[in-house]
Amino acid sequence: MKRLLFAALIGTAALVSFSSCKKEYITQEVNVLDGVTFSTNVKSSSWAVDQSGYSFSNELDFPELDAKYFNFGHVGVAISFDNDKDFFINIPSAVGPYNYRVEYKIGKVYLYADYVGNDNKPVRPTDMFVKVTLTDATNGGN
């Protein structure tokens, strides 16, 4: 019995010592854009008001928002008030008497602030700091 165990031990040791591993790397070519963030100040006076007087809009030029980001990426927008760049609110969101939302197309980001306050005295939103982040994604096959 000892001879069989000893033979099995030597056979296993020989098998392990004479076998070799070959590393294979599988690479996949992926066309990924870098994620980028752009920031800008939006002044209260730059908001346009619609005919109802309750909806405000602001058009921001973003030439970096090209067809690749538009078709396969994501556009995220956050706002900050009172020059507090340590605190951002992602939109769409309700902040104070406004419902903020965003739309975008190639080269443009549109901010909207719909007044929902109780006093029926809409005023333009206050000055804010806007951060627009463009992130990339891979085409999922749609």
Side-chain angles (χ1 to χ4, degrees), residues 15-29:
L15 183 63
V16 170
S17 65
F18 291 122
S19 66
S20 65
C21 295
K22 180 181 177 186
K23 289 185 179 180
E24 292 184 31
Y25 296 97
I26 299 173
T27 58
Q28 180 180 2
E29 187 175 321

Side-chain angles (χ1 to χ4, degrees), residues 9 21 28 31 37 39 46 58 72 74 82 85 88 91 110 112 114 117 130-131 137:
L9 180 63
C21 295
Q28 180 180 2
N31 182 16
T37 298
S39 302
S46 68
N58 208 313
F72 305 116
H74 174 73
D82 300 326
K85 296 175 185 158
F88 283 93
I91 56 175
Y110 300 95
Y112 296 96
D114 299 317
V130 177
K131 181 170 66 169

Side-chain angles (χ1 to χ4, degrees), residues 48-96:
V49 62
D50 74 352
Q51 291 178 356
S52 72
Y54 287 87
S55 186
F56 301 91
S57 62
N58 208 313
E59 178 181 306
L60 304 175
D61 290 322
F62 272 92
E64 297 83 6
L65 178 52
D66 60 12
K68 284 187 178 183
Y69 279 119
F70 181 80
N71 290 322
F72 305 116
H74 174 73
V75 178
V77 180
I79 57 177
S80 179
F81 298 96
D82 300 326
N83 293 322
D84 183 5
K85 296 175 185 158
D86 294 328
F87 183 79
F88 283 93
I89 301 164
N90 290 326
I91 56 175
S93 187
V95 181

